[in-house]
Amino acid sequence: MSIFSWMNDQLLRMQWLSGLVTAGVRGLGLDPASRIGGSVQFFVYDVVKIFILLSVLIFVISYLQSYFPPERTRRILGGRSGIGANILGALLGTITPFCSCSSIPLFIGFTAAGLPLGVTFSFLISSPLVDMASVILLASIFSWPIALAYVGVGLIVAVVGGTIIGKLGMEGQVESFVHNVPVTDADESLSRAERIGFARGQVLDIAGKVWPYVLIGVGIGAVIHNWVPEATISALLGQDKWWAVPVATVVGIPMYADIFGTLPIAEALVGKGVGLGTVLAFMMAVTALSLPSLIMLKRVVKMPLLVAFTGLVTVGILTIGFAFNAITHMFI
Amino acid sequence: MIIKILGSGCKKCGILAENALAAAHAAGKTAEIVKVTDFAEIAGYGVMSTPALVVDEKLIASGKVLTIDEISALL
């Protein structure tokens, strides 16, 4: 066994933890193969694993993020245009704060500084959709090829979506007050201790915010994993059903959660034979679009632009879903 | 003086407000704390990351929780 696969199995997939929890379930007098024992095993293992990964990942990523405050991102993107700027915007979106609540101030700040609308939207789409934490988590729960494929298609949606919005010429569809906002530059010199303090603060802040979503997500995952018959799931979302991807997308859009809460549900669904494309579509719909973020966005853009944004992202997610279902056999 | 704390009402905003008040008192000034939570108004100060500190309509810092000493030095 190579060092790499050992690290992958033990550090990322935490097989030691799975074994430990299984032993603990047995110690309680439950059979891990039974429904109740299996539910307890799934719940405890997933909750502990996600919180360990979440803390480590947010710490590392926040430390890196402290080098890319929004003001710097805006400076990097300033004065650029064309597809290259969209790609850069999408890439910078992967190393920005996790919370979608921060995306509206960013939108206002970018637009006020005169960044092209399309570039701003490439950034806005990729920011909640793809982040480095989701890559590691996907690799932990599924595999590296799936994680990298998720990032790849997420970036494509962001670049293509932003480019189309840019081509639609909807600059007039932004609420006028946005253009009257002053553009300020922040002092961004931080010491190492300040960066570490910032990263630790982010871990506490985000863990404090997302824990209910993680518990609910893992709870739903445990129910799907142990109690819902495979026949029911495949009748609703099976790979042979053309409506599986649209249903997963439509259900996911209004939901407000983050990648940490959606992954255990995705994990359980894939375990029940649901197509990878269907599951990815669900995860992307939940993270990229949500009712609360659309309501906030409505305050800074007019309806046609909001519809264009929602429509493009939805079409992108559907396309990815169908495409991945067609090639699932390459990954699983 | 009027101290404005810009932010969506997170825990960090509360800490920043306390620190700002303490720094103002240490400097022997009376200060009134105003919490600004509307993001259109927050953006009006050119702020992209919260919490941010505004003293007498002048933006002092954004995106971090300053300590009492740091605020004292800036006042």
Side-chain angles (χ1 to χ4, degrees), chain A residues 74 104 108 181-182 184 202 299, chain B residues 12 38-39 43-44 46 48 70:
Chain A
R74 184 167 66 182
I104 304 302
I108 297 174
V181 162
T184 56
Q202 287 292 99
R299 293 192 49 195
Chain B
K12 285 190 225 162
D38 180 75
F39 66 79
M48 287 197 286
E70 284 169 329

Side-chain angles (χ1 to χ4, degrees), chain A residues 70-71 74 104-106 108-110 177 181-182 184 186-187 190 194 202 205 296 299-300, chain B residues 8 10-12 38-50 59 62-64 70:
Chain A
E71 288 80 7
R74 184 167 66 182
I104 304 302
L106 288 176
I108 297 174
F110 283 15
F177 79 87
V181 162
T184 56
D187 163 44
L190 292 172
E194 280 175 310
Q202 287 292 99
D205 208 37
M296 284 213 285
R299 293 192 49 195
V300 285
Chain B
S8 51
C10 51
K11 210 166 78 188
K12 285 190 225 162
D38 180 75
F39 66 79
E41 207 180 322
I42 292 173
Y45 288 95
V47 166
M48 287 197 286
S49 41
T50 57
L59 181 64
S62 70
K64 52 183 168 183
E70 284 169 329

Side-chain angles (χ1 to χ4, degrees), chain A residues 2 8 37 47 50 70 77 85 89-90 104 106 140-141 152 186 211 259 265 273 314:
Chain A
S2 73
N8 211 35
V47 166
I50 288 179
L77 289 174
I104 304 302
L106 288 176
S140 161
I141 286 176
W211 70 265
I259 194 94
I265 302 178
T314 307

Side-chain angles (χ1 to χ4, degrees), chain A residues 147-209:
Chain A
L148 295 176
Y150 177 87
V151 177
V153 293
L155 289 176
I156 290 171
V157 169
V159 171
V160 173
T163 305
I164 295 176
I165 287 178
K167 293 263 186 277
L168 289 175
M170 296 183 115
E171 276 72 14
Q173 299 297 327
V174 176
E175 293 295 345
S176 52
F177 79 87
V178 171
H179 295 289
N180 302 326
V181 162
V183 177
T184 56
D185 245 326
D187 163 44
E188 57 188 51
S189 54
L190 292 172
S191 66
R192 169 177 290 207
E194 280 175 310
R195 291 186 201 281
I196 290 175
F198 168 76
R200 196 170 43 214
Q202 287 292 99
V203 172
L204 295 175
D205 208 37
I206 294 169
K209 246 186 277 184

Side-chain angles (χ1 to χ4, degrees), chain A residues 239-255:
Chain A
Q239 298 211 41
D240 52 335
K241 307 291 185 294
W242 65 266
W243 64 76
V245 172
V247 165
T249 308
V250 169
V251 169
I253 286 175
M255 279 174 60

Side-chain angles (χ1 to χ4, degrees), chain A residues 82-91 118-119 121-123 125-126 129 152-166 312:
Chain A
I83 187 91
N86 288 88
I87 293 172
L88 196 59
L91 286 173
V119 175
F121 267 97
S122 281
F123 178 86
I125 294 170
S126 111
L129 197 59
V153 293
L155 289 176
I156 290 171
V157 169
V159 171
V160 173
T163 305
I164 295 176
I165 287 178
L312 279 168

